[in-house]
Amino acid sequence: MKLYRFLTGPDDSSFCHKVTAALNKGWELSGSPTYAFNATTGEMQCGQAVTKTVHGKEYDPEMKLGEQ
């Protein structure tokens, strides 16, 4: 099965660490990162799509994608 996640976070090192952790768990970047201003918080926000192919499992909407 192929899994998809969209990682988001503030424009700081915590977002980079989140993406780095996903890459080190076998996720791959998918497309370009995004960058937008959050008017509610007054902060810039980052986003990055990642995908991962997992063999031997079937998709279940209840699964925690980050744990795959």
Side-chain angles (χ1 to χ4, degrees):
M1 86 178 135
K2 189 162 191 170
L3 302 174
Y4 169 89
R5 293 172 64 200
F6 187 69
L7 306 175
T8 61
D11 180 24
D12 62 18
S13 64
S14 69
F15 178 74
C16 295
H17 285 282
K18 184 185 289 189
V19 174
T20 299
L23 293 174
N24 281 283
K25 290 180 181 178
W27 292 85
E28 296 181 8
L29 299 177
S30 178
S32 299
T34 60
Y35 195 60
F37 181 71
N38 182 331
T40 303
T41 64
E43 297 177 324
M44 293 302 291
Q45 299 286 304
C46 299
Q48 175 65 57
V50 292
T51 60
K52 182 178 185 180
T53 300
V54 178
H55 300 284
K57 287 189 175 181
E58 291 202 23
Y59 174 72
D60 177 350
E62 299 296 319
M63 69 176 35
K64 296 186 179 199
L65 297 177
E67 295 177 3
Q68 302 306 309

Short mmCIF file of all heavy atoms in Angstrom, two decimals:
data_model
loop_
_atom_site.label_atom_id
_atom_site.label_comp_id
_atom_site.label_asym_id
_atom_site.label_seq_id
_atom_site.Cartn_x
_atom_site.Cartn_y
_atom_site.Cartn_z
N MET A 1 0.85 -1.17 0.00
CA MET A 1 0.00 0.00 0.00
C MET A 1 0.89 1.23 0.00
O MET A 1 2.02 1.18 0.48
CB MET A 1 -0.94 -0.02 1.20
CG MET A 1 -0.35 0.57 2.46
SD MET A 1 -1.49 0.59 3.82
CE MET A 1 -0.38 -0.01 5.06
N LYS A 2 0.37 2.30 -0.53
CA LYS A 2 1.10 3.56 -0.54
C LYS A 2 0.38 4.52 0.41
O LYS A 2 -0.83 4.70 0.31
CB LYS A 2 1.17 4.15 -1.94
CG LYS A 2 2.11 5.34 -2.00
CD LYS A 2 2.50 5.63 -3.43
CE LYS A 2 3.64 6.63 -3.44
NZ LYS A 2 4.22 6.78 -4.74
N LEU A 3 1.14 5.12 1.31
CA LEU A 3 0.59 6.04 2.31
C LEU A 3 0.97 7.48 1.98
O LEU A 3 2.01 7.72 1.36
CB LEU A 3 1.13 5.69 3.69
CG LEU A 3 0.85 4.27 4.18
CD1 LEU A 3 1.57 4.03 5.50
CD2 LEU A 3 -0.63 4.04 4.33
N TYR A 4 0.15 8.41 2.41
CA TYR A 4 0.37 9.84 2.17
C TYR A 4 0.17 10.58 3.49
O TYR A 4 -0.76 10.30 4.24
CB TYR A 4 -0.65 10.34 1.14
CG TYR A 4 -0.70 11.85 1.01
CD1 TYR A 4 0.13 12.49 0.11
CD2 TYR A 4 -1.58 12.63 1.78
CE1 TYR A 4 0.09 13.87 -0.03
CE2 TYR A 4 -1.61 14.00 1.65
CZ TYR A 4 -0.78 14.62 0.75
OH TYR A 4 -0.82 15.98 0.62
N ARG A 5 1.05 11.52 3.74
CA ARG A 5 0.91 12.43 4.89
C ARG A 5 1.27 13.83 4.43
O ARG A 5 2.09 14.02 3.55
CB ARG A 5 1.87 12.06 6.03
CG ARG A 5 1.59 10.76 6.69
CD ARG A 5 2.69 10.36 7.66
NE ARG A 5 2.81 11.30 8.77
CZ ARG A 5 3.88 11.41 9.53
NH1 ARG A 5 4.95 10.66 9.30
NH2 ARG A 5 3.93 12.28 10.51
N PHE A 6 0.65 14.82 5.07
CA PHE A 6 1.02 16.21 4.82
C PHE A 6 1.48 16.79 6.15
O PHE A 6 0.68 16.96 7.07
CB PHE A 6 -0.17 17.01 4.26
CG PHE A 6 0.21 18.40 3.83
CD1 PHE A 6 1.02 18.61 2.73
CD2 PHE A 6 -0.21 19.50 4.56
CE1 PHE A 6 1.38 19.89 2.33
CE2 PHE A 6 0.14 20.78 4.17
CZ PHE A 6 0.94 20.97 3.05
N LEU A 7 2.78 17.01 6.25
CA LEU A 7 3.37 17.52 7.47
C LEU A 7 3.27 19.05 7.48
O LEU A 7 3.53 19.69 6.46
CB LEU A 7 4.83 17.10 7.56
CG LEU A 7 5.12 15.60 7.43
CD1 LEU A 7 6.61 15.34 7.41
CD2 LEU A 7 4.44 14.83 8.54
N THR A 8 2.90 19.61 8.61
CA THR A 8 2.81 21.06 8.74
C THR A 8 3.45 21.49 10.05
O THR A 8 3.61 20.69 10.98
CB THR A 8 1.35 21.54 8.74
OG1 THR A 8 0.67 20.97 9.85
CG2 THR A 8 0.65 21.17 7.45
N GLY A 9 3.81 22.76 10.11
CA GLY A 9 4.37 23.29 11.34
C GLY A 9 4.85 24.70 11.15
O GLY A 9 4.85 25.24 10.04
N PRO A 10 5.27 25.33 12.25
CA PRO A 10 5.77 26.69 12.16
C PRO A 10 7.10 26.73 11.40
O PRO A 10 7.80 25.71 11.30
CB PRO A 10 5.97 27.09 13.63
CG PRO A 10 6.16 25.80 14.36
CD PRO A 10 5.33 24.79 13.61
N ASP A 11 7.43 27.87 10.87
CA ASP A 11 8.67 28.05 10.12
C ASP A 11 9.83 28.17 11.11
O ASP A 11 10.34 29.25 11.37
CB ASP A 11 8.57 29.28 9.23
CG ASP A 11 9.83 29.52 8.42
OD1 ASP A 11 10.57 28.55 8.19
OD2 ASP A 11 10.07 30.68 8.03
N ASP A 12 10.21 27.04 11.69
CA ASP A 12 11.37 27.01 12.58
C ASP A 12 12.00 25.62 12.51
O ASP A 12 11.58 24.77 11.72
CB ASP A 12 10.98 27.39 14.02
CG ASP A 12 9.97 26.44 14.66
OD1 ASP A 12 9.81 25.30 14.16
OD2 ASP A 12 9.35 26.83 15.66
N SER A 13 13.00 25.39 13.33
CA SER A 13 13.73 24.13 13.25
C SER A 13 12.86 22.92 13.59
O SER A 13 13.14 21.81 13.14
CB SER A 13 14.96 24.16 14.14
OG SER A 13 14.59 24.29 15.50
N SER A 14 11.78 23.11 14.36
CA SER A 14 10.92 21.96 14.70
C SER A 14 10.30 21.34 13.46
O SER A 14 10.12 20.13 13.38
CB SER A 14 9.84 22.36 15.72
OG SER A 14 8.88 23.22 15.13
N PHE A 15 9.96 22.17 12.47
CA PHE A 15 9.41 21.64 11.23
C PHE A 15 10.47 20.84 10.48
O PHE A 15 10.18 19.74 9.99
CB PHE A 15 8.87 22.77 10.34
CG PHE A 15 8.35 22.26 9.02
CD1 PHE A 15 7.14 21.59 8.96
CD2 PHE A 15 9.07 22.42 7.86
CE1 PHE A 15 6.65 21.09 7.76
CE2 PHE A 15 8.60 21.93 6.65
CZ PHE A 15 7.38 21.27 6.60
N CYS A 16 11.68 21.34 10.41
CA CYS A 16 12.76 20.62 9.74
C CYS A 16 13.02 19.28 10.44
O CYS A 16 13.24 18.27 9.77
CB CYS A 16 14.04 21.46 9.72
SG CYS A 16 13.89 22.95 8.73
N HIS A 17 12.96 19.26 11.76
CA HIS A 17 13.15 18.01 12.50
C HIS A 17 12.02 17.03 12.21
O HIS A 17 12.24 15.82 12.10
CB HIS A 17 13.27 18.28 14.00
CG HIS A 17 14.58 18.87 14.39
ND1 HIS A 17 15.74 18.12 14.50
CD2 HIS A 17 14.92 20.15 14.69
CE1 HIS A 17 16.74 18.91 14.85
NE2 HIS A 17 16.27 20.14 14.97
N LYS A 18 10.79 17.53 12.08
CA LYS A 18 9.63 16.68 11.77
C LYS A 18 9.81 16.01 10.41
O LYS A 18 9.60 14.80 10.27
CB LYS A 18 8.35 17.52 11.78
CG LYS A 18 7.09 16.72 11.58
CD LYS A 18 5.86 17.61 11.48
CE LYS A 18 5.50 18.25 12.79
NZ LYS A 18 4.19 18.95 12.74
N VAL A 19 10.23 16.78 9.42
CA VAL A 19 10.45 16.22 8.07
C VAL A 19 11.63 15.26 8.10
O VAL A 19 11.56 14.17 7.52
CB VAL A 19 10.66 17.35 7.04
CG1 VAL A 19 11.03 16.77 5.68
CG2 VAL A 19 9.40 18.20 6.91
N THR A 20 12.71 15.61 8.78
CA THR A 20 13.89 14.75 8.87
C THR A 20 13.53 13.42 9.52
O THR A 20 13.97 12.36 9.07
CB THR A 20 15.01 15.46 9.64
OG1 THR A 20 15.38 16.64 8.93
CG2 THR A 20 16.24 14.56 9.79
N ALA A 21 12.75 13.46 10.59
CA ALA A 21 12.33 12.22 11.26
C ALA A 21 11.54 11.34 10.31
O ALA A 21 11.74 10.11 10.26
CB ALA A 21 11.51 12.55 12.51
N ALA A 22 10.63 11.93 9.54
CA ALA A 22 9.84 11.16 8.58
C ALA A 22 10.74 10.53 7.52
O ALA A 22 10.58 9.35 7.18
CB ALA A 22 8.77 12.04 7.92
N LEU A 23 11.69 11.28 7.00
CA LEU A 23 12.60 10.75 5.99
C LEU A 23 13.40 9.57 6.54
O LEU A 23 13.64 8.58 5.84
CB LEU A 23 13.55 11.85 5.49
CG LEU A 23 12.91 12.98 4.71
CD1 LEU A 23 13.93 14.07 4.42
CD2 LEU A 23 12.26 12.48 3.43
N ASN A 24 13.82 9.66 7.79
CA ASN A 24 14.60 8.59 8.40
C ASN A 24 13.75 7.38 8.76
O ASN A 24 14.29 6.33 9.10
CB ASN A 24 15.35 9.12 9.62
CG ASN A 24 16.60 9.86 9.19
OD1 ASN A 24 17.58 9.25 8.83
ND2 ASN A 24 16.53 11.19 9.19
N LYS A 25 12.43 7.49 8.68
CA LYS A 25 11.53 6.35 8.89
C LYS A 25 11.05 5.79 7.55
O LYS A 25 10.10 5.02 7.50
CB LYS A 25 10.33 6.77 9.73
CG LYS A 25 10.71 7.06 11.17
CD LYS A 25 9.50 7.46 11.98
CE LYS A 25 9.90 7.76 13.41
NZ LYS A 25 8.74 8.20 14.21
N GLY A 26 11.67 6.22 6.45
CA GLY A 26 11.36 5.66 5.15
C GLY A 26 10.38 6.45 4.30
O GLY A 26 10.05 6.04 3.19
N TRP A 27 9.88 7.57 4.80
CA TRP A 27 8.99 8.41 4.00
C TRP A 27 9.82 9.15 2.97
O TRP A 27 11.01 9.41 3.17
CB TRP A 27 8.25 9.40 4.91
CG TRP A 27 7.29 8.74 5.84
CD1 TRP A 27 7.58 8.18 7.06
CD2 TRP A 27 5.90 8.52 5.63
NE1 TRP A 27 6.44 7.65 7.62
CE2 TRP A 27 5.39 7.84 6.75
CE3 TRP A 27 5.02 8.85 4.60
CZ2 TRP A 27 4.06 7.48 6.89
CZ3 TRP A 27 3.69 8.49 4.73
CH2 TRP A 27 3.22 7.82 5.85
N GLU A 28 9.19 9.49 1.84
CA GLU A 28 9.87 10.22 0.76
C GLU A 28 9.13 11.52 0.48
O GLU A 28 7.89 11.57 0.55
CB GLU A 28 9.92 9.37 -0.51
CG GLU A 28 10.73 8.10 -0.34
CD GLU A 28 10.79 7.29 -1.61
OE1 GLU A 28 10.34 7.77 -2.67
OE2 GLU A 28 11.29 6.15 -1.54
N LEU A 29 9.88 12.56 0.14
CA LEU A 29 9.26 13.84 -0.21
C LEU A 29 8.39 13.66 -1.44
O LEU A 29 8.75 12.92 -2.36
CB LEU A 29 10.33 14.89 -0.48
CG LEU A 29 11.28 15.21 0.68
CD1 LEU A 29 12.33 16.23 0.22
CD2 LEU A 29 10.53 15.74 1.88
N SER A 30 7.28 14.36 -1.47
CA SER A 30 6.37 14.31 -2.61
C SER A 30 5.98 15.73 -2.97
O SER A 30 5.23 16.38 -2.24
CB SER A 30 5.13 13.48 -2.24
OG SER A 30 4.23 13.46 -3.32
N GLY A 31 6.51 16.22 -4.06
CA GLY A 31 6.21 17.59 -4.47
C GLY A 31 7.03 18.62 -3.71
O GLY A 31 7.89 18.30 -2.90
N SER A 32 6.72 19.86 -3.98
CA SER A 32 7.45 20.98 -3.38
C SER A 32 6.86 21.34 -2.02
O SER A 32 5.67 21.14 -1.77
CB SER A 32 7.35 22.21 -4.30
OG SER A 32 7.93 21.93 -5.54
N PRO A 33 7.68 21.92 -1.15
CA PRO A 33 7.16 22.39 0.13
C PRO A 33 6.27 23.62 -0.09
O PRO A 33 6.35 24.29 -1.12
CB PRO A 33 8.41 22.76 0.92
CG PRO A 33 9.46 23.01 -0.10
CD PRO A 33 9.11 22.16 -1.29
N THR A 34 5.43 23.90 0.90
CA THR A 34 4.58 25.09 0.85
C THR A 34 4.95 26.00 2.01
O THR A 34 5.53 25.57 3.01
CB THR A 34 3.09 24.72 0.94
OG1 THR A 34 2.86 24.05 2.18
CG2 THR A 34 2.66 23.84 -0.21
N TYR A 35 4.56 27.26 1.87
CA TYR A 35 4.92 28.27 2.85
C TYR A 35 3.80 29.30 2.84
O TYR A 35 3.46 29.83 1.78
CB TYR A 35 6.25 28.89 2.40
CG TYR A 35 6.99 29.71 3.40
CD1 TYR A 35 7.42 29.16 4.60
CD2 TYR A 35 7.30 31.04 3.13
CE1 TYR A 35 8.13 29.91 5.51
CE2 TYR A 35 8.02 31.79 4.03
CZ TYR A 35 8.43 31.23 5.22
OH TYR A 35 9.15 31.97 6.13
N ALA A 36 3.18 29.55 3.98
CA ALA A 36 2.04 30.48 4.02
C ALA A 36 1.99 31.20 5.35
O ALA A 36 2.46 30.70 6.37
CB ALA A 36 0.73 29.72 3.79
N PHE A 37 1.38 32.36 5.34
CA PHE A 37 1.20 33.16 6.55
C PHE A 37 -0.10 32.76 7.24
O PHE A 37 -1.16 32.71 6.62
CB PHE A 37 1.18 34.65 6.21
CG PHE A 37 1.02 35.54 7.41
CD1 PHE A 37 2.05 35.69 8.32
CD2 PHE A 37 -0.17 36.20 7.64
CE1 PHE A 37 1.91 36.50 9.43
CE2 PHE A 37 -0.34 37.01 8.75
CZ PHE A 37 0.71 37.16 9.65
N ASN A 38 -0.02 32.46 8.53
CA ASN A 38 -1.19 32.12 9.33
C ASN A 38 -1.63 33.40 10.04
O ASN A 38 -1.00 33.84 11.01
CB ASN A 38 -0.86 31.02 10.34
CG ASN A 38 -2.05 30.59 11.16
OD1 ASN A 38 -2.97 31.36 11.41
ND2 ASN A 38 -2.02 29.34 11.61
N ALA A 39 -2.70 34.02 9.57
CA ALA A 39 -3.16 35.30 10.13
C ALA A 39 -3.63 35.15 11.58
O ALA A 39 -3.56 36.10 12.36
CB ALA A 39 -4.27 35.88 9.27
N THR A 40 -4.11 33.97 11.95
CA THR A 40 -4.58 33.75 13.31
C THR A 40 -3.45 33.80 14.32
O THR A 40 -3.57 34.42 15.38
CB THR A 40 -5.32 32.40 13.42
OG1 THR A 40 -6.38 32.39 12.48
CG2 THR A 40 -5.87 32.18 14.81
N THR A 41 -2.32 33.16 13.99
CA THR A 41 -1.19 33.11 14.91
C THR A 41 -0.14 34.18 14.62
O THR A 41 0.73 34.44 15.43
CB THR A 41 -0.49 31.74 14.85
OG1 THR A 41 0.06 31.56 13.54
CG2 THR A 41 -1.45 30.61 15.18
N GLY A 42 -0.22 34.77 13.42
CA GLY A 42 0.77 35.77 13.03
C GLY A 42 2.12 35.16 12.67
O GLY A 42 3.13 35.85 12.69
N GLU A 43 2.13 33.87 12.35
CA GLU A 43 3.37 33.17 12.04
C GLU A 43 3.35 32.60 10.62
O GLU A 43 2.29 32.33 10.07
CB GLU A 43 3.60 32.00 13.00
CG GLU A 43 3.76 32.40 14.44
CD GLU A 43 3.91 31.18 15.34
OE1 GLU A 43 3.26 30.15 15.09
OE2 GLU A 43 4.67 31.29 16.30
N MET A 44 4.53 32.40 10.08
CA MET A 44 4.65 31.68 8.82
C MET A 44 4.58 30.19 9.12
O MET A 44 5.09 29.72 10.15
CB MET A 44 5.98 32.02 8.13
CG MET A 44 6.07 33.45 7.65
SD MET A 44 4.75 33.94 6.50
CE MET A 44 5.17 32.98 5.05
N GLN A 45 3.91 29.44 8.25
CA GLN A 45 3.73 28.00 8.40
C GLN A 45 4.33 27.29 7.19
O GLN A 45 4.24 27.80 6.07
CB GLN A 45 2.24 27.65 8.49
CG GLN A 45 1.53 28.28 9.67
CD GLN A 45 1.90 27.60 10.97
OE1 GLN A 45 1.75 26.40 11.12
NE2 GLN A 45 2.38 28.38 11.91
N CYS A 46 4.90 26.12 7.42
CA CYS A 46 5.47 25.30 6.36
C CYS A 46 4.63 24.04 6.20
O CYS A 46 3.98 23.59 7.14
CB CYS A 46 6.88 24.87 6.72
SG CYS A 46 8.03 26.22 6.96
N GLY A 47 4.68 23.46 5.02
CA GLY A 47 4.01 22.19 4.76
C GLY A 47 4.81 21.39 3.76
O GLY A 47 5.46 21.95 2.88
N GLN A 48 4.79 20.07 3.93
CA GLN A 48 5.48 19.18 3.00
C GLN A 48 4.74 17.86 2.93
O GLN A 48 4.48 17.23 3.96
CB GLN A 48 6.93 18.93 3.45
CG GLN A 48 7.69 17.92 2.61
CD GLN A 48 7.90 18.40 1.18
OE1 GLN A 48 8.48 19.45 0.96
NE2 GLN A 48 7.43 17.63 0.21
N ALA A 49 4.40 17.44 1.73
CA ALA A 49 3.78 16.14 1.53
C ALA A 49 4.88 15.08 1.51
O ALA A 49 5.97 15.30 0.97
CB ALA A 49 3.00 16.11 0.22
N VAL A 50 4.57 13.92 2.10
CA VAL A 50 5.47 12.78 2.08
C VAL A 50 4.66 11.52 1.78
O VAL A 50 3.47 11.45 2.11
CB VAL A 50 6.25 12.62 3.41
CG1 VAL A 50 7.23 13.75 3.62
CG2 VAL A 50 5.32 12.51 4.61
N THR A 51 5.30 10.55 1.14
CA THR A 51 4.64 9.28 0.84
C THR A 51 5.56 8.14 1.26
O THR A 51 6.78 8.31 1.41
CB THR A 51 4.32 9.13 -0.66
OG1 THR A 51 5.53 9.20 -1.41
CG2 THR A 51 3.34 10.20 -1.13
N LYS A 52 4.94 6.97 1.44
CA LYS A 52 5.71 5.79 1.82
C LYS A 52 4.98 4.56 1.30
O LYS A 52 3.76 4.44 1.45
CB LYS A 52 5.84 5.72 3.34
CG LYS A 52 6.66 4.56 3.85
CD LYS A 52 6.76 4.62 5.37
CE LYS A 52 7.66 3.57 5.94
NZ LYS A 52 7.73 3.65 7.41
N THR A 53 5.73 3.64 0.72
CA THR A 53 5.16 2.36 0.30
C THR A 53 5.44 1.34 1.39
O THR A 53 6.58 1.18 1.82
CB THR A 53 5.77 1.91 -1.03
OG1 THR A 53 5.49 2.90 -2.02
CG2 THR A 53 5.20 0.58 -1.48
N VAL A 54 4.39 0.67 1.84
CA VAL A 54 4.50 -0.36 2.87
C VAL A 54 4.00 -1.66 2.27
O VAL A 54 2.86 -1.75 1.81
CB VAL A 54 3.67 0.02 4.12
CG1 VAL A 54 3.74 -1.08 5.16
CG2 VAL A 54 4.12 1.35 4.70
N HIS A 55 4.85 -2.67 2.28
CA HIS A 55 4.49 -3.97 1.72
C HIS A 55 3.93 -4.87 2.81
O HIS A 55 4.32 -4.78 3.97
CB HIS A 55 5.71 -4.63 1.08
CG HIS A 55 6.29 -3.81 -0.04
ND1 HIS A 55 5.71 -3.75 -1.28
CD2 HIS A 55 7.36 -3.00 -0.09
CE1 HIS A 55 6.41 -2.95 -2.06
NE2 HIS A 55 7.42 -2.47 -1.35
N GLY A 56 2.99 -5.72 2.45
CA GLY A 56 2.46 -6.71 3.36
C GLY A 56 1.38 -6.21 4.31
O GLY A 56 0.99 -6.92 5.23
N LYS A 57 0.89 -4.99 4.11
CA LYS A 57 -0.19 -4.46 4.93
C LYS A 57 -1.27 -3.89 4.02
O LYS A 57 -0.99 -3.49 2.89
CB LYS A 57 0.31 -3.33 5.84
CG LYS A 57 1.15 -3.77 7.00
CD LYS A 57 1.38 -2.60 7.93
CE LYS A 57 2.12 -3.01 9.17
NZ LYS A 57 2.32 -1.88 10.09
N GLU A 58 -2.48 -3.86 4.53
CA GLU A 58 -3.57 -3.23 3.80
C GLU A 58 -3.98 -1.96 4.53
O GLU A 58 -3.92 -1.90 5.76
CB GLU A 58 -4.75 -4.19 3.70
CG GLU A 58 -4.45 -5.36 2.79
CD GLU A 58 -5.70 -6.02 2.26
OE1 GLU A 58 -6.76 -5.36 2.22
OE2 GLU A 58 -5.59 -7.19 1.88
N TYR A 59 -4.42 -0.99 3.78
CA TYR A 59 -4.82 0.28 4.36
C TYR A 59 -6.04 0.12 5.25
O TYR A 59 -6.98 -0.59 4.92
CB TYR A 59 -5.12 1.30 3.25
CG TYR A 59 -5.67 2.59 3.80
CD1 TYR A 59 -4.85 3.46 4.49
CD2 TYR A 59 -7.02 2.91 3.65
CE1 TYR A 59 -5.35 4.63 5.02
CE2 TYR A 59 -7.52 4.08 4.18
CZ TYR A 59 -6.69 4.94 4.86
OH TYR A 59 -7.20 6.09 5.40
N ASP A 60 -6.00 0.81 6.38
CA ASP A 60 -7.12 0.86 7.32
C ASP A 60 -7.24 2.31 7.77
O ASP A 60 -6.26 2.88 8.25
CB ASP A 60 -6.85 -0.05 8.51
CG ASP A 60 -7.93 -0.01 9.57
OD1 ASP A 60 -8.82 0.86 9.50
OD2 ASP A 60 -7.88 -0.85 10.48
N PRO A 61 -8.40 2.94 7.62
CA PRO A 61 -8.54 4.35 7.99
C PRO A 61 -8.25 4.63 9.47
O PRO A 61 -8.03 5.76 9.85
CB PRO A 61 -10.00 4.70 7.66
CG PRO A 61 -10.59 3.53 6.99
CD PRO A 61 -9.62 2.41 7.05
N GLU A 62 -8.22 3.59 10.29
CA GLU A 62 -7.94 3.76 11.72
C GLU A 62 -6.44 3.75 12.03
O GLU A 62 -6.05 4.10 13.14
CB GLU A 62 -8.63 2.64 12.53
CG GLU A 62 -10.14 2.63 12.37
CD GLU A 62 -10.81 3.89 12.91
OE1 GLU A 62 -10.39 4.37 13.98
OE2 GLU A 62 -11.73 4.39 12.24
N MET A 63 -5.61 3.37 11.06
CA MET A 63 -4.18 3.28 11.35
C MET A 63 -3.56 4.67 11.55
O MET A 63 -4.03 5.65 10.98
CB MET A 63 -3.43 2.53 10.23
CG MET A 63 -3.36 3.24 8.92
SD MET A 63 -2.40 2.43 7.60
CE MET A 63 -2.66 0.72 7.84
N LYS A 64 -2.55 4.73 12.38
CA LYS A 64 -1.80 5.96 12.59
C LYS A 64 -0.69 6.00 11.56
O LYS A 64 0.27 5.21 11.64
CB LYS A 64 -1.27 6.02 14.01
CG LYS A 64 -2.40 6.08 15.02
CD LYS A 64 -1.89 6.29 16.41
CE LYS A 64 -3.10 6.36 17.34
NZ LYS A 64 -2.79 6.98 18.59
N LEU A 65 -0.81 6.89 10.60
CA LEU A 65 0.12 6.89 9.47
C LEU A 65 1.56 7.12 9.91
O LEU A 65 2.48 6.53 9.34
CB LEU A 65 -0.31 7.95 8.46
CG LEU A 65 -1.68 7.71 7.81
CD1 LEU A 65 -2.04 8.86 6.89
CD2 LEU A 65 -1.72 6.39 7.08
N GLY A 66 1.77 7.96 10.88
CA GLY A 66 3.14 8.25 11.35
C GLY A 66 3.84 7.07 11.97
O GLY A 66 5.05 7.06 12.11
N GLU A 67 3.08 6.05 12.35
CA GLU A 67 3.66 4.87 12.97
C GLU A 67 3.95 3.76 11.97
O GLU A 67 4.43 2.69 12.34
CB GLU A 67 2.74 4.34 14.07
CG GLU A 67 2.60 5.32 15.22
CD GLU A 67 1.62 4.85 16.28
OE1 GLU A 67 1.08 3.72 16.16
OE2 GLU A 67 1.38 5.62 17.21
N GLN A 68 3.67 3.99 10.71
CA GLN A 68 3.87 2.96 9.68
C GLN A 68 5.29 2.99 9.16
O GLN A 68 5.98 3.92 9.20
CB GLN A 68 2.88 3.14 8.55
CG GLN A 68 1.45 3.09 8.99
CD GLN A 68 1.07 1.86 9.77
OE1 GLN A 68 1.33 0.74 9.34
NE2 GLN A 68 0.46 2.04 10.91
#
